Amino acid sequence: MTENLEELKVLCEGCQKCRLGATRTNLVFGVGVENAEVMFIGEGPGENEDLQGEPFVGRGGKLLDKMLNAIELDRHKNIYIANMVKCRPPQNRDPLPDEQEQCIMWLRNQFKIIRPKIIVCLGRVAASKIIKKDIKITKEHGIFTEKNGVLMMATLHPAALLRNPNNKPGAFEDFQKLREKIKEVCTHTYTE
C-alpha cells in the first residue's frame, strides 16, 4: 500500500468502507513516532477523539498519559498509539465485527510501517481481536505472549479504570511489567 504513515493516513481519510466513515467528524488515524518499538492499540475513538482527530485525548487519555509518563513513555517521543477502527462508533459503542473487519487493514499497514517489538492492547475489544479471541481481560491483563515474533500484552482500558478505580493498581502493575520488558527487548525506546 505505502511505506509511510502520512501517505497511509491520506489514503485512510478517503475510506468509506463501513458506516462509520459517514458519521465521523475527524479520522482518528494514530499518533506517535514512526519507528516506535512499542505500539498501543485501543478499540475506537470516542467523542473527544472524534472532535480532535487524535486517539485517547479525553479523560481516559489523560489517565493513559499519566500512566505512560510514570514509565517514561510519551505519545510524541517514543511510542505509537492507534485504534482498531479509525472512526467513532455512535454513542461510543464497541465497534461491530464488520466495522473491525473493514478497518483492520489500516491497522495492519500501520503495524507493517512501524514494526513494533511490543504491542499493548488497551481493553478487551482490542485484545480479543489481536491477542486471543476469548481473552478474559480482568484475569489475563499484564501477561505477555508472543505472536509472530512480537510480544503482546493486554491491559485494562483507561475508561474502564475511570469507571472502576479499584482496578488502577493492577493496571499500573501492567505498566511496570511493560517498562521491564521494554528494557529487556527494545534498543531505543528509552534512549531517544
Side-chain angles (χ1 to χ4, degrees):
M1 188 169 261
T2 180
E3 294 180 25
N4 174 293
L5 284 176
E6 281 306 310
E7 290 174 15
L8 186 65
K9 181 180 179 182
V10 170
L11 293 172
C12 190
E13 285 172 339
C15 181
Q16 294 292 321
K17 289 185 176 191
C18 77
R19 63 188 76 78
L20 299 179
T23 59
R24 72 178 179 225
T25 303
N26 285 296
L27 176 77
V28 183
F29 184 72
V31 65
V33 296
E34 196 159 308
N35 67 340
E37 293 177 302
V38 183
M39 185 173 181
F40 289 79
I41 302 171
E43 60 194 47
E47 182 178 14
N48 290 310
E49 291 76 14
D50 183 46
L51 292 171
Q52 295 182 45
E54 186 171 319
F56 291 93
V57 292
R59 288 180 56 231
K62 287 179 181 30
L63 176 58
L64 177 61
D65 284 342
K66 281 183 183 178
M67 295 172 78
L68 291 169
N69 289 336
I71 62 165
E72 302 170 66
L73 296 179
D74 185 295
R75 65 175 67 209
H76 301 291
K77 294 180 182 168
N78 57 4
I79 61 169
Y80 195 87
I81 303 174
N83 281 308
M84 292 193 17
V85 298
K86 310 303 183 193
C87 303
R88 178 187 180 209
Q91 289 81 48
N92 293 348
R93 66 162 166 74
D94 290 347
L96 299 175
D98 67 306
E99 295 162 348
Q100 293 177 38
E101 280 307 308
Q102 292 299 322
C103 208
I104 197 76
M105 68 169 244
W106 299 113
L107 183 62
R108 285 184 182 133
N109 279 291
Q110 285 173 304
F111 176 81
K112 285 178 188 171
I113 293 167
I114 297 166
R115 300 175 58 106
K117 293 180 179 179
I118 299 173
I119 289 178
V120 178
C121 292
L122 298 163
R124 176 192 52 82
V125 174
S128 65
K129 182 73 174 175
I130 294 167
I131 298 174
K132 183 171 102 174
K133 190 175 184 102
D134 61 346
I135 195 162
K136 305 287 185 249
I137 193 80
T138 54
K139 291 188 169 102
E140 298 179 70
H141 68 91
I143 299 170
F144 281 93
T145 57
E146 188 173 327
K147 205 170 170 185
N148 301 321
V150 178
L151 290 169
M152 299 186 182
M153 178 188 82
T155 192
L156 301 165
H157 195 284
L161 295 175
L162 291 172
R163 288 190 301 272
N164 191 349
N166 294 338
N167 289 332
K168 283 183 183 179
F172 190 68
E173 282 180 31
D174 296 347
F175 276 70
Q176 290 173 316
K177 290 176 188 174
L178 173 62
R179 176 174 48 200
E180 294 311 308
K181 194 59 77 173
I182 290 170
K183 288 177 180 176
E184 185 183 316
V185 302
C186 297
T187 57
H188 65 262
T189 298
Y190 287 132
T191 58
E192 289 188 355

